[in-house]
Amino acid sequence: SQQGEEDPQALSIQEGENATMNCSYKTSINNLQWYRQNSGRGLVHLILIRSNEREKHSGRLRVTLDTSKKSSSLLITASRAADTASYFCATMEYGNKLVFGAGTILRVKS
Amino acid sequence: AAGVIQSPRHLIKEKRETATLKCYPIPRHDTVYWYQQGPGQDPQFLISFYEKMQSDKGSIPDRFSAQQFSDYHSELNMSSLELGDSALYFCASSFLIVGLSGELFFGEGSRLTVL
């Protein structure tokens, strides 16, 4: 990966459970974003958190950012089968470059 | 709403051939990005353009070149193709305003297969 690691690499849960994915990065950032990708499809933006923010919510999504540890987490609550996808964190470095992490494959079983 | 349009969606080439991928950003977006995603890999940043000028460069091979035209569409040219160039190539666009969202809007990708 150009940026860092995601943890776990794969996650399998039952519908209704919560899913937590973690991401670490290496450089100073302007903001950190989470994207979702269904197999072989384009990436869809989920949520953005700025470097001066610590937590952000959007619907069933909750993102935290710890710039001292260079890490972020994405929590999806009350998961649904339709949440099955790959999830990537990406850091916007100062300039104009969005760098992706390695991704977590989430499978939600109904 | 209009999205990012990429063409062609699928492309099959032989080794050492040349390929050109096209990207039409969302209207009024001023920034275009190109990414390469191999099977099971994360998207790798290749290059970006802001207002038709190259703004950032990533792991783009010297065999590849890209440009953004006056109508803001962009083309990625790939020459002397190698088997390892087989991948999904994504284009994304955004509207860069300092201090506001850095959200990127991605196209559905162009799948290149090199035989």
Side-chain angles (χ1 to χ4, degrees):
Chain A
S1 166
Q2 288 179 313
Q3 172 230 69
E5 298 302 316
E6 284 203 36
D7 159 41
Q9 291 184 323
L11 182 59
S12 184
I13 59 174
Q14 290 293 136
E15 207 165 24
E17 293 181 339
N18 296 341
T20 299
M21 289 161 266
N22 303 296
C23 157
S24 62
Y25 58 92
K26 298 173 183 173
T27 62
S28 296
I29 62 170
N30 183 321
N31 63 63
L32 185 143
Q33 306 177 30
W34 285 88
Y35 286 79
R36 166 198 165 119
Q37 184 180 36
N38 287 80
S39 181
R41 304 293 301 276
L43 294 112
V44 176
H45 181 267
L46 295 175
I47 194 166
L48 179 153
I49 186 166
R50 301 197 180 282
S51 59
N52 61 353
E53 297 176 312
R54 291 296 166 259
E55 187 171 313
K56 202 159 183 182
H57 296 80
S58 176
R60 294 184 295 114
L61 305 179
R62 172 179 168 254
V63 168
T64 63
L65 178 64
D66 187 335
T67 52
S68 66
K69 295 180 181 177
K70 289 188 165 57
S71 67
S72 174
S73 68
L74 171 68
L75 169 66
I76 303 174
T77 60
S79 63
R80 306 165 181 168
D83 294 330
T84 294
S86 293
Y87 291 81
F88 294 91
C89 75
T91 50
M92 180 67 82
E93 301 176 358
Y94 289 95
N96 204 17
K97 186 175 172 180
L98 187 70
V99 177
F100 283 84
T104 293
I105 300 170
L106 173 66
R107 181 183 171 211
V108 181
K109 295 176 283 188
S110 54
Chain B
V4 175
I5 306 296
Q6 291 189 245
S7 69
R9 293 293 311 277
H10 301 273
L11 190 59
I12 299 175
K13 290 285 185 178
E14 300 277 342
K15 280 195 306 184
R16 293 180 289 277
E17 285 190 322
T18 297
T20 297
L21 306 181
K22 295 185 179 183
C23 170
Y24 297 85
I26 291 172
R28 294 192 301 280
H29 278 192
D30 54 17
T31 307
V32 165
Y33 307 78
W34 285 98
Y35 287 84
Q36 177 194 58
Q37 187 177 31
Q41 303 295 313
D42 54 296
Q44 296 287 308
F45 173 76
L46 293 179
I47 195 166
S48 63
F49 293 88
Y50 170 66
E51 284 291 342
K52 294 157 278 185
M53 299 290 290
Q54 182 184 306
S55 59
D56 271 285
K57 203 168 182 180
S59 49
I60 184 169
D62 291 340
R63 300 177 290 109
F64 292 11
S65 65
Q67 57 181 323
Q68 188 178 26
F69 294 87
S70 58
D71 65 351
Y72 290 92
H73 95 272
S74 179
E75 294 183 5
L76 178 67
N77 298 294
M78 299 174 283
S79 62
S80 303
L81 288 170
E82 302 173 356
L83 296 178
D85 296 329
S86 296
L88 260 174
Y89 290 83
F90 288 105
C91 173
S93 72
S94 70
F95 187 34
L96 188 70
I97 299 178
V98 174
L100 296 183
S101 172
E103 173 185 356
L104 271 61
F105 295 81
F106 281 80
E108 286 296 317
S110 294
R111 183 175 295 280
L112 171 67
T113 302
V114 181
L115 302 176

